[in-house]
Short mmCIF file of all heavy atoms in Angstrom, two decimals:
data_model
loop_
_atom_site.label_atom_id
_atom_site.label_comp_id
_atom_site.label_asym_id
_atom_site.label_seq_id
_atom_site.Cartn_x
_atom_site.Cartn_y
_atom_site.Cartn_z
N LYS V 203 -97.04 141.17 -57.45
CA LYS V 203 -96.48 142.09 -58.48
C LYS V 203 -96.99 143.54 -58.27
O LYS V 203 -96.28 144.46 -58.26
CB LYS V 203 -96.82 141.58 -59.79
CG LYS V 203 -96.21 142.40 -60.97
CD LYS V 203 -96.65 141.80 -62.31
CE LYS V 203 -95.96 142.45 -63.50
NZ LYS V 203 -95.46 143.81 -63.47
N LEU V 204 -98.29 143.60 -58.00
CA LEU V 204 -98.81 144.98 -57.72
C LEU V 204 -98.30 145.62 -56.52
O LEU V 204 -98.01 146.82 -56.45
CB LEU V 204 -100.43 144.92 -57.71
CG LEU V 204 -101.10 144.69 -59.04
CD1 LEU V 204 -102.55 144.41 -58.79
CD2 LEU V 204 -100.92 145.83 -59.96
N SER V 205 -98.03 144.77 -55.49
CA SER V 205 -97.46 145.22 -54.28
C SER V 205 -96.05 145.61 -54.42
O SER V 205 -95.54 146.68 -54.04
CB SER V 205 -97.58 144.18 -53.13
OG SER V 205 -96.97 144.53 -51.98
N ASP V 206 -95.25 144.77 -55.13
CA ASP V 206 -93.79 145.03 -55.39
C ASP V 206 -93.62 146.25 -56.21
O ASP V 206 -92.63 147.03 -55.98
CB ASP V 206 -93.20 143.89 -56.10
CG ASP V 206 -92.97 142.62 -55.22
OD1 ASP V 206 -93.19 142.73 -53.99
OD2 ASP V 206 -92.75 141.53 -55.78
N GLU V 207 -94.57 146.57 -57.05
CA GLU V 207 -94.41 147.77 -57.91
C GLU V 207 -95.04 149.00 -57.27
O GLU V 207 -95.05 150.10 -57.91
CB GLU V 207 -95.16 147.56 -59.24
CG GLU V 207 -94.41 146.46 -60.15
CD GLU V 207 -95.00 146.19 -61.46
OE1 GLU V 207 -96.10 146.75 -61.69
OE2 GLU V 207 -94.45 145.33 -62.20
N GLY V 208 -95.53 148.91 -55.97
CA GLY V 208 -96.03 150.04 -55.25
C GLY V 208 -97.47 150.50 -55.51
O GLY V 208 -97.82 151.53 -55.07
N TYR V 209 -98.20 149.72 -56.27
CA TYR V 209 -99.58 150.03 -56.54
C TYR V 209 -100.49 149.78 -55.36
O TYR V 209 -101.51 150.50 -55.17
CB TYR V 209 -100.14 149.29 -57.79
CG TYR V 209 -99.49 149.76 -59.08
CD1 TYR V 209 -98.49 148.97 -59.66
CD2 TYR V 209 -99.84 150.95 -59.64
CE1 TYR V 209 -97.89 149.33 -60.81
CE2 TYR V 209 -99.26 151.37 -60.91
CZ TYR V 209 -98.30 150.58 -61.53
OH TYR V 209 -97.68 151.00 -62.65
N ILE V 210 -100.20 148.77 -54.68
CA ILE V 210 -100.99 148.37 -53.48
C ILE V 210 -100.02 148.03 -52.37
O ILE V 210 -98.84 147.82 -52.50
CB ILE V 210 -102.00 147.19 -53.77
CG1 ILE V 210 -101.20 145.93 -54.12
CG2 ILE V 210 -102.93 147.55 -54.88
CD1 ILE V 210 -102.01 144.64 -54.24
N ASN V 211 -100.62 147.85 -51.15
CA ASN V 211 -99.76 147.46 -50.04
C ASN V 211 -100.33 146.11 -49.54
O ASN V 211 -101.43 145.78 -49.80
CB ASN V 211 -99.95 148.53 -48.83
CG ASN V 211 -99.48 149.79 -49.22
OD1 ASN V 211 -98.28 150.02 -49.53
ND2 ASN V 211 -100.36 150.80 -49.27
N ARG V 212 -99.43 145.34 -48.81
CA ARG V 212 -99.85 144.18 -48.26
C ARG V 212 -99.13 143.94 -46.91
O ARG V 212 -98.01 144.37 -46.69
CB ARG V 212 -99.72 142.99 -49.18
CG ARG V 212 -98.30 142.51 -49.37
CD ARG V 212 -98.24 141.34 -50.23
NE ARG V 212 -96.88 140.80 -50.31
CZ ARG V 212 -96.49 139.67 -50.84
NH1 ARG V 212 -97.40 138.82 -51.38
NH2 ARG V 212 -95.24 139.26 -50.81
N LYS V 213 -99.83 143.24 -46.12
CA LYS V 213 -99.22 142.94 -44.77
C LYS V 213 -99.89 141.62 -44.20
O LYS V 213 -101.05 141.39 -44.43
CB LYS V 213 -99.41 144.09 -43.73
CG LYS V 213 -98.74 143.83 -42.50
CD LYS V 213 -98.72 145.00 -41.56
CE LYS V 213 -97.98 144.59 -40.29
NZ LYS V 213 -97.99 145.67 -39.30
N MET V 214 -99.08 140.87 -43.51
CA MET V 214 -99.52 139.61 -42.92
C MET V 214 -100.40 140.03 -41.61
O MET V 214 -99.96 140.78 -40.79
CB MET V 214 -98.43 138.72 -42.48
CG MET V 214 -97.92 137.93 -43.62
SD MET V 214 -98.93 136.52 -44.03
CE MET V 214 -97.69 135.55 -44.73
N PHE V 215 -101.64 139.34 -41.54
CA PHE V 215 -102.42 139.55 -40.32
C PHE V 215 -103.00 138.27 -39.99
O PHE V 215 -103.22 137.38 -40.84
CB PHE V 215 -103.69 140.55 -40.62
CG PHE V 215 -103.17 141.92 -40.68
CD1 PHE V 215 -102.98 142.57 -41.98
CD2 PHE V 215 -103.06 142.69 -39.51
CE1 PHE V 215 -102.66 143.93 -41.96
CE2 PHE V 215 -102.63 144.03 -39.56
CZ PHE V 215 -102.46 144.67 -40.83
N ASN V 216 -103.36 138.04 -38.68
CA ASN V 216 -104.04 136.88 -38.20
C ASN V 216 -105.55 137.25 -38.33
O ASN V 216 -106.01 138.16 -37.67
CB ASN V 216 -103.63 136.58 -36.80
CG ASN V 216 -104.32 135.29 -36.34
OD1 ASN V 216 -105.57 135.22 -36.18
ND2 ASN V 216 -103.58 134.30 -36.00
N VAL V 217 -106.24 136.55 -39.29
CA VAL V 217 -107.67 136.94 -39.56
C VAL V 217 -108.51 135.81 -38.94
O VAL V 217 -108.33 134.65 -39.35
CB VAL V 217 -107.88 137.11 -41.05
CG1 VAL V 217 -109.37 137.40 -41.29
CG2 VAL V 217 -106.98 138.20 -41.53
N GLU V 218 -109.39 136.17 -38.02
CA GLU V 218 -110.36 135.18 -37.46
C GLU V 218 -109.63 133.93 -36.84
O GLU V 218 -110.07 132.83 -37.01
CB GLU V 218 -111.48 134.78 -38.45
CG GLU V 218 -112.43 135.88 -38.69
CD GLU V 218 -113.55 135.27 -39.47
OE1 GLU V 218 -113.77 134.06 -39.62
OE2 GLU V 218 -114.38 136.17 -40.06
N GLY V 219 -108.50 134.19 -36.23
CA GLY V 219 -107.86 133.05 -35.66
C GLY V 219 -107.24 132.01 -36.60
O GLY V 219 -106.70 130.99 -36.19
N THR V 220 -107.24 132.34 -37.86
CA THR V 220 -106.60 131.46 -38.90
C THR V 220 -105.09 131.66 -38.78
O THR V 220 -104.64 132.57 -38.12
CB THR V 220 -107.11 131.73 -40.25
OG1 THR V 220 -106.74 133.09 -40.66
CG2 THR V 220 -108.65 131.60 -40.37
N LYS V 221 -104.42 131.00 -39.66
CA LYS V 221 -103.04 131.21 -39.81
C LYS V 221 -102.89 132.67 -40.44
O LYS V 221 -103.83 133.14 -40.96
CB LYS V 221 -102.34 130.18 -40.72
CG LYS V 221 -102.89 130.15 -42.06
CD LYS V 221 -102.25 129.14 -42.90
CE LYS V 221 -102.79 129.17 -44.30
NZ LYS V 221 -102.28 128.24 -45.19
N ASN V 222 -101.73 133.21 -40.28
CA ASN V 222 -101.50 134.54 -40.91
C ASN V 222 -101.73 134.51 -42.43
O ASN V 222 -101.48 133.55 -43.10
CB ASN V 222 -100.07 135.07 -40.63
CG ASN V 222 -99.91 135.40 -39.17
OD1 ASN V 222 -100.92 135.62 -38.48
ND2 ASN V 222 -98.73 135.57 -38.75
N MET V 223 -102.45 135.55 -42.92
CA MET V 223 -102.59 135.68 -44.36
C MET V 223 -102.35 137.17 -44.73
O MET V 223 -102.47 138.03 -43.93
CB MET V 223 -104.08 135.31 -44.75
CG MET V 223 -105.07 136.15 -44.14
SD MET V 223 -106.76 135.85 -44.83
CE MET V 223 -107.03 134.28 -44.27
N TYR V 224 -102.05 137.28 -46.02
CA TYR V 224 -101.74 138.65 -46.58
C TYR V 224 -103.12 139.27 -46.67
O TYR V 224 -104.14 138.85 -47.14
CB TYR V 224 -101.13 138.74 -47.90
CG TYR V 224 -99.65 138.43 -47.82
CD1 TYR V 224 -99.03 137.37 -48.31
CD2 TYR V 224 -98.85 139.48 -47.13
CE1 TYR V 224 -97.61 137.21 -48.29
CE2 TYR V 224 -97.46 139.31 -47.19
CZ TYR V 224 -96.90 138.17 -47.69
OH TYR V 224 -95.50 138.05 -47.58
N VAL V 225 -103.17 140.63 -46.25
CA VAL V 225 -104.33 141.48 -46.46
C VAL V 225 -103.80 142.67 -47.25
O VAL V 225 -102.73 143.20 -47.04
CB VAL V 225 -104.89 141.97 -45.11
CG1 VAL V 225 -105.92 143.09 -45.39
CG2 VAL V 225 -105.40 140.91 -44.25
N TYR V 226 -104.54 142.90 -48.35
CA TYR V 226 -104.10 143.90 -49.31
C TYR V 226 -104.94 145.16 -49.14
O TYR V 226 -106.09 145.12 -48.87
CB TYR V 226 -104.36 143.40 -50.80
CG TYR V 226 -103.47 142.10 -50.93
CD1 TYR V 226 -104.00 140.84 -50.68
CD2 TYR V 226 -102.25 142.20 -51.43
CE1 TYR V 226 -103.24 139.67 -50.86
CE2 TYR V 226 -101.46 141.07 -51.59
CZ TYR V 226 -101.96 139.82 -51.29
OH TYR V 226 -101.17 138.73 -51.48
N PHE V 227 -104.31 146.39 -49.21
CA PHE V 227 -104.97 147.65 -49.03
C PHE V 227 -104.32 148.66 -49.92
O PHE V 227 -103.11 148.47 -50.34
CB PHE V 227 -105.00 147.94 -47.56
CG PHE V 227 -103.69 147.92 -46.87
CD1 PHE V 227 -102.92 149.12 -46.72
CD2 PHE V 227 -103.16 146.67 -46.38
CE1 PHE V 227 -101.71 149.00 -46.04
CE2 PHE V 227 -101.92 146.63 -45.74
CZ PHE V 227 -101.24 147.81 -45.55
N LEU V 228 -104.94 149.82 -50.09
CA LEU V 228 -104.39 150.86 -50.89
C LEU V 228 -103.59 151.90 -50.18
O LEU V 228 -102.50 152.15 -50.63
CB LEU V 228 -105.49 151.55 -51.73
CG LEU V 228 -106.05 150.83 -52.95
CD1 LEU V 228 -107.16 151.69 -53.56
CD2 LEU V 228 -104.97 150.37 -53.87
N ASP V 229 -104.16 152.46 -49.19
CA ASP V 229 -103.54 153.58 -48.52
C ASP V 229 -103.03 153.23 -47.07
O ASP V 229 -102.21 152.31 -46.99
CB ASP V 229 -104.40 154.75 -48.50
CG ASP V 229 -105.90 154.44 -48.42
OD1 ASP V 229 -106.23 153.52 -47.70
OD2 ASP V 229 -106.64 155.01 -49.08
N LYS V 230 -103.53 153.76 -46.12
CA LYS V 230 -103.09 153.54 -44.76
C LYS V 230 -103.39 152.10 -44.30
O LYS V 230 -104.46 151.54 -44.66
CB LYS V 230 -103.57 154.54 -43.77
CG LYS V 230 -105.08 154.61 -43.59
CD LYS V 230 -105.43 155.70 -42.61
CE LYS V 230 -106.91 155.64 -42.44
NZ LYS V 230 -107.39 156.74 -41.45
N GLN V 231 -102.54 151.53 -43.47
CA GLN V 231 -102.73 150.26 -42.97
C GLN V 231 -104.02 150.08 -42.17
O GLN V 231 -104.29 150.99 -41.31
CB GLN V 231 -101.50 149.85 -42.10
CG GLN V 231 -101.56 148.48 -41.57
CD GLN V 231 -100.27 148.12 -40.78
OE1 GLN V 231 -99.22 148.27 -41.24
NE2 GLN V 231 -100.40 147.69 -39.53
N PRO V 232 -104.80 148.96 -42.38
CA PRO V 232 -105.99 148.88 -41.68
C PRO V 232 -105.71 148.67 -40.16
O PRO V 232 -104.69 148.03 -39.76
CB PRO V 232 -106.69 147.66 -42.25
CG PRO V 232 -105.64 147.01 -43.14
CD PRO V 232 -104.52 147.96 -43.39
N LYS V 233 -106.59 148.99 -39.32
CA LYS V 233 -106.46 148.78 -37.80
C LYS V 233 -106.69 147.31 -37.59
O LYS V 233 -107.63 146.72 -38.09
CB LYS V 233 -107.46 149.64 -37.05
CG LYS V 233 -107.17 151.10 -37.10
CD LYS V 233 -108.18 151.95 -36.35
CE LYS V 233 -107.88 153.34 -36.50
NZ LYS V 233 -108.80 154.21 -35.91
N LYS V 234 -105.83 146.77 -36.84
CA LYS V 234 -105.77 145.34 -36.59
C LYS V 234 -107.10 144.82 -36.02
O LYS V 234 -107.63 143.74 -36.45
CB LYS V 234 -104.63 145.03 -35.54
CG LYS V 234 -104.34 143.51 -35.46
CD LYS V 234 -103.16 143.33 -34.48
CE LYS V 234 -102.85 141.87 -34.40
NZ LYS V 234 -101.67 141.65 -33.58
N LYS V 235 -107.74 145.61 -35.15
CA LYS V 235 -109.06 145.16 -34.56
C LYS V 235 -110.22 145.25 -35.56
O LYS V 235 -111.25 144.71 -35.25
CB LYS V 235 -109.28 145.90 -33.26
CG LYS V 235 -109.64 147.36 -33.41
CD LYS V 235 -109.88 148.00 -32.07
CE LYS V 235 -110.42 149.38 -32.22
NZ LYS V 235 -110.90 149.95 -31.05
N LEU V 236 -110.05 146.00 -36.65
CA LEU V 236 -111.17 146.19 -37.55
C LEU V 236 -111.01 145.34 -38.88
O LEU V 236 -111.84 145.38 -39.73
CB LEU V 236 -111.26 147.64 -37.97
CG LEU V 236 -111.73 148.58 -36.87
CD1 LEU V 236 -111.78 150.06 -37.40
CD2 LEU V 236 -113.14 148.14 -36.42
#
């Protein structure tokens, strides 16, 4: 809901070799390697 309303951002990432999961962030998209 917070993402849909534009308060936060979310994107699917592969974290630690797991299945893809949403990562939530406020401003610019995090760098994949970090």
Side-chain angles (χ1 to χ4, degrees):
K203 183 177 183 340
L204 289 170
S205 176
D206 290 347
E207 293 178 357
Y209 291 103
I210 64 174
N211 299 299
R212 73 178 188 168
K213 184 171 180 181
M214 282 279 202
F215 286 99
N216 184 294
V217 178
E218 286 191 15
T220 64
K221 63 181 182 179
N222 287 341
M223 67 172 61
Y224 280 115
V225 173
Y226 300 89
F227 52 98
L228 284 182
D229 32 43
K230 64 182 181 179
Q231 180 176 309
K233 294 180 181 171
K234 192 174 182 178
K235 68 179 187 171
L236 292 177

